[in-house]
Amino acid sequence: LFGNTATTSSGSTGFSFGTASGLGQGFGTTTTTTTAPTGFGFGGTGLFGNTQNKGFGFGTGFSSGTGTGLGAGLGSGFGGFGTQQQQQQQQQQQPPTLASLFAQPSQPPTQSNQLINTANALSAPTLLGDERDAILARWNQLQAFWGTGKGYFNSAIPPVEFTQENPFCRFKAVGYSCTPNNKDEDGLVALVFSKKETDIRSQQQQLVESLHKVLGANQTLTVNVEGVKALPDSQTEVVIYVVERSPNGTSRKVPATGLFSYLEQSNVKVQLQQLGVILTVARTELSPAQIKQLLQNPPAGVDPIIWEQAKVDNPDPEKLLPVPMVGFKELLRRLKVQDQMTKQHQTRLDIISEDISELQKNQATTVAKIAQYKRKLMDLSHRVLQVLIKQEIQRKSGYAIQADEEQLRVQLDTIQCELNAPTQFKGRLNELMSQIRMQNHFGAVRSEERYSIDADLLQEIKQHLKQQQDGLSHLIGVIKNDLEDIKLVEQGLNESVHHRGSIFS
């Protein structure tokens, strides 16, 4: 819509409010063919002159011409601010200026006559001079509402051509499209190819080389692809920019308008068509003055009241602009673009979902590794502590017990007594051991139940049992030594008794 469109001798460019042959072309240019009669016709001896149709006919349906509507929709959102389909035959190759796009075209001298003729065709035709004129007026109204056909109202005046841009057409609506935000310095130019996205991506390198050849194979120019996006009807949009390197080593992006002007040249355009390019548009933003002029001037065929209401209902005036939708073709195009964008969003959501699942798996693996490293750290800490104990014992070997060591011994004895107390930890340990035995006893009956003890707790239990075993062994050794000492004492006493008896005897 706001891109550069080529002009023809029979249409206006940008926002026009009427031409010499109708009520205005709306957005872009529209060409109509008049080779076949459409709308309303009678036989050869009928009321409308030498026509070949018999009876009433609707001609070619919606429209007898090929209109571009709101453009090809290459802009962000649902389109509308992207591009317009170019006319096949152009009288000039240079892109139109923004002034010509947004300037108010001068009203042709026959514009007022056109409005008067339209009003006469819809309200008071004087073709037949009897009650049939009322039927003809209703038929003209129906054609105007439908947006196609010709309105006959006077035998001396040519009929009025009804298009979808006429203010009486009912198949109109106002939508919203994103405001372009790319600057001219960014150098972005969109190329629309009549190929699928997969074909473009598989041949992207060859495409870049071909575009470089189109630019004259200049070694100071480099073609870069900004993005590739699929469009409806098996078309693909490729956004490119060109970087120019100067001899002193600096580089800059070629402005979008300059690149677009070069690509619109006739000889260059033929080369692009051979590559499959059907449309070229510069991605440039609108100035505040252009946006203001756009909002102040309703498009051709749109009621100013509806246009004002559309501006009021704009959900985000900073990012969205109202655009008219004229006819079913434009509605179908926007529907296809919306479906395409929905598919792209769904694809992106699927990729994000896969990434989240992968991250969750990595998180679970990391948590398990962290727990494993914690247990390993605890084992290493115990080993280091044992090494330090042995080293300290060897270092203090032969020295008397110091005061601080005596305090530590007293504290350790207190802790040992608390551990050995029947009602404290020892009792709990015995209770746990009893439960373990019971579980082992009933394990055959309740085989489906499984219990496990933490490795650290099990190690502490083993250590405690080992200490008790060592204490018992030490106690047994002390008792054995005491028994040996008692035997020696008894033996000494017996020997002394025998010795005294021999003396007295």
Side-chain angles (χ1 to χ4, degrees):
L1 173 61
F2 298 107
N4 294 305
T5 58
T7 60
T8 63
S9 59
S10 60
S12 60
T13 306
F15 293 92
S16 63
F17 288 85
T19 60
S21 60
L23 294 179
Q25 302 298 327
F27 289 84
T29 59
T30 305
T31 61
T32 59
T33 59
T34 59
T35 56
T38 60
F40 187 78
F42 285 95
T45 58
L47 300 174
F48 296 126
N50 295 324
T51 58
Q52 299 299 324
N53 293 333
K54 295 182 179 181
F56 294 87
F58 283 95
T60 58
F62 285 166
S63 175
S64 59
T66 58
T68 60
L70 296 180
L74 297 177
S76 55
F78 294 146
F81 291 99
T83 61
Q84 284 183 291
Q85 191 173 359
Q86 306 294 323
Q87 297 289 341
Q88 297 298 326
Q89 297 180 355
Q90 301 178 347
Q91 294 183 353
Q92 56 183 9
Q93 299 299 332
Q94 295 299 329
T97 62
L98 293 176
S100 65
L101 285 174
F102 292 93
Q104 177 75 18
S106 60
Q107 299 293 338
T110 59
Q111 183 66 31
S112 59
N113 295 333
Q114 183 74 17
L115 294 176
I116 294 174
N117 294 339
T118 303
N120 291 332
L122 298 179
S123 60
T126 58
L127 184 66
L128 303 175
D130 53 18
E131 66 275 4
R132 289 176 294 179
D133 286 338
I135 300 176
L136 180 60
R138 292 188 179 183
W139 172 247
N140 291 337
Q141 293 174 9
L142 178 61
Q143 291 186 106
F145 293 160
W146 191 262
T148 183
K150 295 182 180 180
Y152 292 88
F153 63 97
N154 194 313
S155 59
I157 302 176
V160 178
E161 185 76 24
F162 293 116
T163 62
Q164 293 182 345
E165 285 76 18
N166 77 83
F168 302 99
C169 181
R170 296 298 181 87
F171 301 109
K172 295 179 182 178
V174 178
Y176 300 94
S177 294
C178 294
T179 305
N181 54 4
N182 300 111
K183 298 181 179 179
D184 188 28
E185 294 78 10
D186 297 335
L188 298 181
V189 174
L191 304 176
V192 180
F193 290 82
S194 58
K195 298 180 181 179
K196 295 183 179 180
E197 180 185 8
T198 55
D199 299 337
I200 294 295
R201 291 188 181 276
S202 61
Q203 301 175 359
Q204 183 171 337
Q205 186 60 33
Q206 294 85 344
L207 176 61
V208 171
E209 296 176 356
S210 301
L211 292 176
H212 187 261
K213 292 180 181 179
V214 171
L215 295 176
N218 193 341
Q219 298 300 325
T220 61
L221 299 179
T222 304
V223 180
N224 300 275
V225 177
E226 177 71 14
V228 179
K229 183 176 68 174
L231 297 178
D233 301 329
S234 300
Q235 297 179 356
T236 305
E237 177 194 61
V238 180
V239 181
I240 64 171
Y241 64 93
V242 177
V243 178
E244 182 182 9
R245 291 181 175 82
S246 59
N248 57 5
T250 60
S251 61
R252 71 178 186 91
K253 290 183 178 180
V254 178
T257 53
L259 180 59
F260 176 79
S261 299
Y262 178 80
L263 296 178
E264 282 296 301
Q265 296 179 8
S266 58
N267 56 340
V268 177
K269 199 165 187 179
V270 172
Q271 299 179 21
L272 292 177
Q273 291 177 355
Q274 293 176 357
L275 296 177
V277 177
I278 60 177
L279 186 62
T280 306
V281 63
R283 288 289 186 86
T284 55
E285 64 179 355
L286 299 173
S287 64
Q290 293 170 348
I291 295 177
K292 182 178 180 181
Q293 185 177 3
L294 166 68
L295 296 177
Q296 289 179 351
N297 300 323
V302 177
D303 192 339
I305 298 177
I306 298 178
W307 187 252
E308 292 295 330
Q309 186 63 35
K311 292 191 293 183
V312 173
D313 296 339
N314 192 344
D316 192 352
E318 297 295 331
K319 296 182 180 180
L320 300 178
L321 287 176
V323 292
M325 294 181 293
V326 181
F328 291 104
K329 285 186 178 180
E330 176 61 20
L331 183 61
L332 178 61
R333 185 193 64 80
R334 292 177 68 91
L335 179 61
K336 289 182 178 180
V337 174
Q338 183 176 0
D339 291 340
Q340 187 73 25
M341 189 62 64
T342 302
K343 291 180 181 178
Q344 294 179 1
H345 290 172
Q346 186 62 43
T347 302
R348 178 58 58 184
L349 289 177
D350 295 339
I351 294 174
I352 294 175
S353 178
E354 293 177 358
D355 294 341
I356 291 175
S357 301
E358 188 67 23
L359 291 175
Q360 289 177 347
K361 292 180 182 178
N362 295 338
Q363 182 187 10
T365 303
T366 304
V367 170
K369 288 183 178 180
I370 290 174
Q372 180 182 357
Y373 291 151
K374 283 183 179 180
R375 291 192 295 268
K376 188 175 181 180
L377 176 62
M378 187 173 294
D379 294 339
L380 293 176
S381 300
H382 290 167
R383 292 177 62 183
V384 171
L385 182 60
Q386 293 176 1
V387 172
L388 290 176
I389 291 173
K390 293 181 180 180
Q391 183 181 3
E392 190 70 16
I393 291 174
Q394 292 179 359
R395 190 174 68 86
K396 293 297 183 68
S397 179
Y399 291 92
I401 298 177
Q402 299 177 0
D404 54 349
E405 294 178 347
E406 183 64 25
Q407 293 178 0
L408 291 175
R409 187 182 67 81
V410 172
Q411 293 178 1
L412 291 174
D413 290 341
T414 304
I415 294 173
Q416 186 68 27
C417 292
E418 291 180 356
L419 291 174
N420 294 332
T423 58
Q424 295 297 326
F425 301 100
K426 187 175 181 179
R428 296 179 182 177
L429 183 60
N430 293 332
E431 183 179 357
L432 289 174
M433 293 300 297
S434 299
Q435 292 180 359
I436 291 172
R437 294 190 187 97
M438 291 177 63
Q439 293 296 333
N440 292 334
H441 177 71
F442 293 104
V445 180
R446 303 175 62 181
S447 58
E448 69 278 0
E449 296 182 2
R450 294 291 183 271
Y451 299 94
S452 62
I453 301 177
D454 187 67
D456 298 335
L457 180 60
L458 183 61
Q459 186 67 24
E460 292 179 1
I461 294 173
K462 290 181 179 181
Q463 187 70 20
H464 182 71
L465 294 176
K466 183 179 180 182
Q467 291 177 358
Q468 284 191 344
Q469 184 68 27
D470 294 340
L472 292 175
S473 301
H474 180 70
L475 182 59
I476 292 172
V478 171
I479 293 173
K480 287 182 179 180
N481 292 333
D482 291 342
L483 290 176
E484 292 178 357
D485 293 339
I486 290 174
K487 289 180 180 180
L488 291 175
V489 171
E490 289 179 353
Q491 184 178 0
L493 291 176
N494 291 332
E495 291 179 354
S496 63
V497 170
H498 290 300
H499 180 67
R500 289 178 183 179
S502 61
I503 293 175
F504 289 121
S505 62

